[in-house]
């Protein structure tokens, strides 16, 4: 009985490590400092390591009005 429980525990651990966790990022689209939309986006781990790597926004000279995409 102990061997069966040990084998099941080992299988559960292997299964937990082999399944990939999909990370969700919250991305906001800005235009002149105003949020136009907010989306939940799945992080593409082949292209990006973290959500902030998907940021494509720019700010004006005073650093306040964002335009583009910001992900967290």
């Amino acid at each position: 009985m102990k061997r069966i429980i040990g084998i099941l525990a080992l299988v559960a651990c292997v299964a937990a490590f082999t399944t990939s966790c999909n990370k969700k990022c919250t991305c906001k689209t800005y235009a002149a400092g105003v949020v136009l939309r907010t989306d939940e986006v799945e992080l593409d781990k082949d292209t990006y390591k973290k959500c902030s790597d998907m940021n494509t926004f720019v700010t004006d000279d005073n650093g306040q009005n964002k335009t583009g995409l910001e992900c967290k």
Side-chain angles (χ1 to χ4, degrees), residues 7-21:
I7 291 171
L8 290 175
L10 180 63
V11 169
C13 287
V14 170
F17 285 117
T18 58
T19 58
S20 63
C21 296

Side-chain angles (χ1 to χ4, degrees), residues 8 13 34 43 47 61:
L8 290 175
C13 287
V34 177
L43 180 66
T47 308
D61 292 335

Side-chain angles (χ1 to χ4, degrees), residues 2-67:
K2 287 182 182 180
R3 285 185 182 171
I4 294 173
I5 292 174
I7 291 171
L8 290 175
L10 180 63
V11 169
C13 287
V14 170
F17 285 117
T18 58
T19 58
S20 63
C21 296
N22 295 333
K23 183 173 180 172
K24 299 271 183 175
C25 302
T26 302
C27 296
K28 295 180 180 180
T29 304
Y30 288 89
V34 177
V35 177
L36 298 178
R37 64 188 282 182
T38 302
D39 296 309
E40 287 281 322
V41 178
E42 189 172 311
L43 180 66
D44 180 9
K45 292 184 180 180
D46 295 330
T47 308
Y48 305 106
K49 291 184 180 182
K50 54 188 177 184
C51 293
S52 62
D53 291 342
M54 294 191 292
N55 291 346
T56 58
F57 69 90
V58 294
T59 58
D60 59 5
D61 292 335
N62 63 8
Q64 293 182 351
N65 293 325
K66 294 179 189 174
T67 299

